[in-house]
Amino acid sequence: FTCDLIRNFSIIAHIDHGKSTLADRLLELTGTIKKKEVGKNEQVLDKLKVERERGITVKAQTASMMHTFNGKPHVLNLIDTPGHVDFAWEVSRSLAACQGALLLVDASQGVQAQTISVFHIAQERGLKIIPVLNKIDLPAAQPERIAAQMQATFGTDPADIIHISAKTGKGVEDVLQAIIDRIPPPSGAPTAPLKAFLFDSLYDRYRGVISLVAVQDGILKKGDRVASCHTNKKYEVQEIGIMHPEEIPVNGLYPGQVGYIACNMKESSEAHIGDTLYRVGTAVDPMPGFKPAQAMVYAGIFPVETSDFPKLEESIKRLALTDRSVTVQRESSTALGQGNRLGFLGTLHMDVFRQRLEDEHDANIIVTAPTVPYKIVYKDKEVYVSNPTEFPDAVDAASKVKEIQEPIVKASIIVPEEYFGDMMDLCFTHRAEDLDHRYLDAGTGTSSSRIILTCTIPLSEIVTDFFDQLKSRSSGFASFDYEEAGYKASDLVKIVFLLNAKPVDALALIVHRSHEDAIGKEWVKKLVKVIPRQMFEVPIQAAVGKKIIARETLKAYRADVTAGLYGGHVERKMKVLERQKEGKARMKRMGSVNLPQEAFFEIMSSK
Ligand code: GTP
């Protein structure tokens, strides 16, 4: 055995530039999977239903390939990474197990926002980067122009760029050769004390937690007693193997190898991402770990039928086991009953989780409006609040609140020149500051120059409709990425909605003062549409502190269901009343107002 015969790499790219397609071609070329019939476009490494439907990779997958070069069998470990902005943390984690990365760029679209961010992550980690231009089969491909863009943006030598079509397979052999020639093999000593880097974990119903590890030094074998640098807990390795891409048990993992182990971890929190495993009885320095993923967007999830709560909570727990970046807490609301408050990396992450709950767990749920974590500064302490119900009503001496701060991000948008004005406008209406821009390239006769626009913008502004508007106002041409940029003082207020003068906790929102009127009015209009009429008139109001900022009136409705029935038909009359009573049972009494749980579903899902 020797490390020289191993290469560990990732494919990094902007969403849709063809990572999964290239991964499939590499797996086919190395005989890891059978070649698929032409026209079939199911990807092997993308496994979740939501990933197939949305065509995005959510969870990174790993596959080991065997390939013979110059008569020597090599092991190529591909660590797949997701491409969406929400999942930068997963990208960084996958790259920690690699020595090189294929930087894939669509030859018709060119460098996009995430191309730049993943390039930086790879560069910071010191990886060898192989530039690859994909989709050269497309009539709209402009490989020379995009190569020049890459040179201008990353300092790439155009001579180093490999031109391929992952779809037809053209040029993919060259990629395989470049992986061997350009990416350094991992370094590690089989005789040194065992050091294995834990970079991902899966959950299996029967075997518990399965950890994915990259062995740095030493040899990891079945039956070994290992311990975690992070928790000091000890485990016995029950099963060990490689992902091919299905699990294949092996006798041992050598330095530089990537594989899985099952070692009786019961809770997925025991598999700490970024942890170092060592052999019990030896002493090692842990490898540099990760800062844990930070939830940026929070929302309450409640069952449509309140009695479904235990089942829903169980489903949420199960799903959270497969997605370590979700945080879960109990929450209860007078309006919606028992539920959970979940923290996500971003809104796409939230949508994906919601869809998985619905698809895989058949859950019927209400998701409250997303909230970012706000920082409430008191005289003597700072408190983070991610639930509008805990947000103070005012910043004043009485509430002891000195200041409220909100998270801001540094955003970059790449867009063809003709949409630049629209993008500036979009940024301004979303409270962006420090706007700056520069040209990415000069454009050609047939296509315009691209501009990269950067700004700082409150995170709360981009968790609502920003992404949708960005896409629609740029005809889909704009790409977008952001990174955290700390906290900033801001004039934020809590809007409370009142039904018949009683506040409804689940509807509270936190907004910037400049948006309070517009949002108050919009929500009141929405509410009057979805709340069923009552026996009496109901005022629907939006309030900030004591001030009413919007109002609509829900007209009274006299539901005299028996009016049309005469004298003798007592039986029928009883039945009608019975049915009406059943209807009532499903209502929630909000103060004096009857509100079906479904109304919340409609409010939260209407845009
Ligand atoms: P995420 O997993 O969401 O990050 O996307 P991805 O980068 O894995 O992209 P994927 O492989 O799913 O490809 C996106 C689309 O581009 C699919 O419709 C592919 O069929 C198509 N595609 C990929 N490579 C090529 C290519 O070389 N030529 C052409 N014409 N289409 C391609």
Side-chain angles (χ1 to χ4, degrees):
F1 170 83
T2 147
C3 279
D4 292 350
L5 302 178
I6 300 178
R7 298 293 182 275
N8 296 323
F9 71 102
S10 245
I11 308 174
I12 53 176
H14 188 75
I15 192 159
D16 265 357
H17 282 198
K19 278 189 306 287
S20 310
T21 312
L22 175 59
D24 279 4
R25 285 303 92 74
L26 291 172
L27 293 175
E28 286 171 7
L29 211 59
T30 53
T32 313
I33 56 167
K34 275 212 266 335
K35 200 164 167 34
K36 269 175 273 157
E37 301 149 49
V38 184
K40 264 208 171 165
N41 210 12
E42 221 176 290
Q43 278 133 8
V44 178
L45 293 183
D46 280 6
K47 285 182 183 161
L48 304 172
K49 176 166 176 256
V50 33
E51 293 182 324
R52 285 197 305 273
E53 277 179 17
R54 292 175 179 239
I56 53 162
T57 312
V58 173
K59 193 106 180 86
Q61 306 281 353
T62 297
S64 297
M65 300 174 257
M66 316 296 163
H67 201 56
T68 304
F69 291 91
N70 299 335
K72 288 190 190 136
H74 283 67
V75 181
L76 309 181
N77 295 310
L78 163 62
I79 294 156
D80 196 17
T81 63
H84 190 273
V85 323
D86 284 1
F87 303 104
W89 182 74
E90 295 238 351
V91 174
S92 146
R93 171 179 107 181
S94 315
L95 293 187
C98 301
Q99 285 75 43
L102 306 174
L103 179 68
L104 195 64
V105 179
D106 183 324
S108 67
Q109 296 202 343
V111 171
Q112 299 286 318
Q114 272 104 62
T115 318
I116 297 182
S117 63
V118 292
F119 171 82
H120 287 309
I121 298 175
Q123 204 185 31
E124 276 162 24
R125 292 209 165 262
L127 301 193
K128 173 72 195 174
I129 296 171
I130 301 177
V132 181
L133 267 178
N134 188 29
K135 310 199 187 179
I136 53 164
D137 60 294
L138 286 178
Q142 298 179 298
E144 278 72 38
R145 177 185 176 194
I146 308 304
Q149 243 181 33
M150 292 173 78
Q151 186 172 24
T153 319
F154 308 124
T156 310
D157 181 348
D160 288 343
I161 301 177
I162 306 172
H163 294 224
I164 68 161
S165 164
K167 189 169 167 186
T168 67
K170 188 167 189 274
V172 179
E173 290 263 8
D174 298 339
V175 173
L176 218 45
Q177 192 64 48
I179 292 169
I180 298 293
D181 294 342
R182 300 193 210 169
I183 297 177
S187 57
T191 50
L194 174 75
K195 232 173 161 178
F197 181 68
L198 196 160
F199 66 93
D200 200 0
S201 74
L202 324 161
Y203 190 79
D204 182 278
R205 276 172 81 167
Y206 304 105
R207 293 171 297 172
V209 180
I210 309 286
S211 305
L212 295 189
V213 295
V215 176
Q216 170 82 24
D217 286 322
I219 302 165
L220 184 60
K221 289 210 163 81
K222 187 171 163 176
D224 276 352
R225 299 208 13 98
V226 295
S228 143
C229 281
H230 187 69
T231 61
N232 286 321
K233 277 196 181 152
K234 299 184 178 71
Y235 304 94
E236 186 180 315
V237 178
Q238 311 276 325
E239 193 186 326
I240 185 165
I242 57 170
M243 310 291 276
H244 191 54
E246 301 309 325
E247 293 167 11
I248 298 184
V250 296
N251 291 327
L253 289 176
Y254 292 80
Q257 277 193 313
V258 172
Y260 70 89
I261 60 168
C263 58
N264 263 344
M265 284 186 184
K266 293 278 177 289
E267 300 276 332
S268 37
S269 57
E270 290 174 61
H272 184 83
I273 310 290
D275 199 354
T276 304
L277 300 178
Y278 61 96
R279 198 181 310 283
V280 173
T282 62
V284 298
D285 290 329
M287 286 182 258
F290 287 96
K291 68 174 171 69
Q294 183 115 42
M296 298 291 271
V297 173
Y298 291 82
I301 296 191
F302 295 87
V304 172
E305 290 291 338
T306 37
S307 58
D308 281 347
F309 176 69
K311 185 170 159 266
L312 175 64
E313 189 173 48
E314 180 60 31
S315 303
I316 289 177
K317 273 195 189 146
R318 282 260 182 93
L319 205 50
L321 283 177
T322 67
D323 184 347
R324 297 289 307 283
S325 39
V326 175
T327 64
V328 185
Q329 274 179 308
R330 274 270 178 104
E331 172 174 21
S332 77
S333 148
T334 31
L336 295 173
Q338 278 285 358
N340 286 113
R341 190 149 195 92
L342 276 70
F344 303 98
L345 301 174
T347 40
L348 177 82
H349 186 207
M350 179 172 93
D351 281 352
V352 165
F353 194 89
R354 167 217 287 247
Q355 195 181 336
R356 289 186 66 191
L357 259 183
E358 289 169 349
D359 289 351
E360 296 164 30
H361 293 269
D362 203 18
N364 204 359
I365 52 175
I366 297 168
V367 182
T368 64
T371 307
V372 302
Y374 294 99
K375 195 200 275 183
I376 315 295
V377 183
Y378 293 89
K379 215 166 143 195
D380 50 345
K381 60 176 178 183
E382 292 178 348
V383 178
Y384 288 87
V385 162
S386 54
N387 190 337
T389 55
E390 293 158 15
F391 197 82
D393 288 321
V395 177
D396 55 26
S399 65
K400 299 206 173 81
V401 177
K402 265 177 58 186
E403 180 174 277
I404 295 172
Q405 297 182 359
E406 64 178 331
I408 54 167
V409 297
K410 192 168 183 314
S412 41
I413 298 171
I414 295 184
V415 76
E417 194 173 32
E418 61 266 33
Y419 299 104
F420 181 60
D422 278 313
M423 293 299 107
M424 289 284 280
D425 193 48
L426 177 71
C427 290
F428 277 126
T429 53
H430 287 78
R431 300 194 282 131
E433 288 177 3
D434 309 324
L435 278 88
D436 197 2
H437 72 279
R438 65 183 165 83
Y439 283 88
L440 210 58
D441 67 6
T444 63
T446 47
S447 56
S448 53
S449 324
R450 281 171 190 278
I451 288 182
I452 176 161
L453 170 69
T454 57
C455 61
T456 56
I457 191 166
L459 179 65
S460 66
E461 293 288 333
I462 58 172
V463 303
T464 49
D465 62 344
F466 187 82
F467 196 67
D468 292 341
Q469 283 204 32
L470 178 95
K471 284 289 170 196
S472 70
R473 291 172 70 171
S474 67
S475 313
F477 284 117
S479 71
F480 169 68
D481 196 20
Y482 66 83
E483 56 187 78
E484 293 164 42
Y487 274 77
K488 194 172 167 179
S490 185
D491 190 8
L492 299 163
V493 296
K494 170 156 86 174
I495 306 186
V496 175
F497 293 90
L498 307 140
L499 295 186
N500 213 15
K502 289 262 159 30
V504 183
D505 61 354
L507 296 178
L509 296 175
I510 298 161
V511 303
H512 191 257
R513 197 181 295 280
S514 62
H515 294 340
E516 70 176 31
D517 274 342
I519 294 178
K521 290 203 172 74
E522 181 195 334
W523 277 73
V524 163
K525 284 220 171 67
K526 254 201 268 191
L527 289 170
V528 78
K529 263 194 231 137
V530 300
I531 299 176
R533 287 190 181 183
Q534 315 280 317
M535 302 293 272
F536 48 88
E537 206 175 83
V538 178
I540 300 175
Q541 296 163 305
V544 167
K546 295 211 162 52
K547 185 177 69 177
I548 302 294
I549 54 168
R551 172 189 171 125
E552 294 275 337
T553 305
L554 186 67
K555 294 230 174 60
Y557 169 69
R558 242 195 85 88
D560 193 352
V561 284
T562 59
L565 308 170
Y566 39 86
H569 294 85
V570 182
E571 241 181 41
R572 224 174 120 197
K573 195 166 172 175
M574 290 300 289
K575 252 196 193 142
V576 173
L577 287 172
E578 200 59 42
R579 223 180 292 144
Q580 202 188 31
K581 215 162 96 194
E582 272 172 22
K584 277 254 172 64
R586 291 177 49 224
M587 296 280 187
K588 264 239 129 69
R589 276 186 81 79
M590 294 307 309
S592 51
V593 178
N594 287 320
L595 196 59
Q597 195 94 340
E598 284 85 356
F600 284 99
F601 181 78
E602 283 196 40
I603 299 161
M604 300 304 179
S605 44
S606 71
K607 278 224 164 141

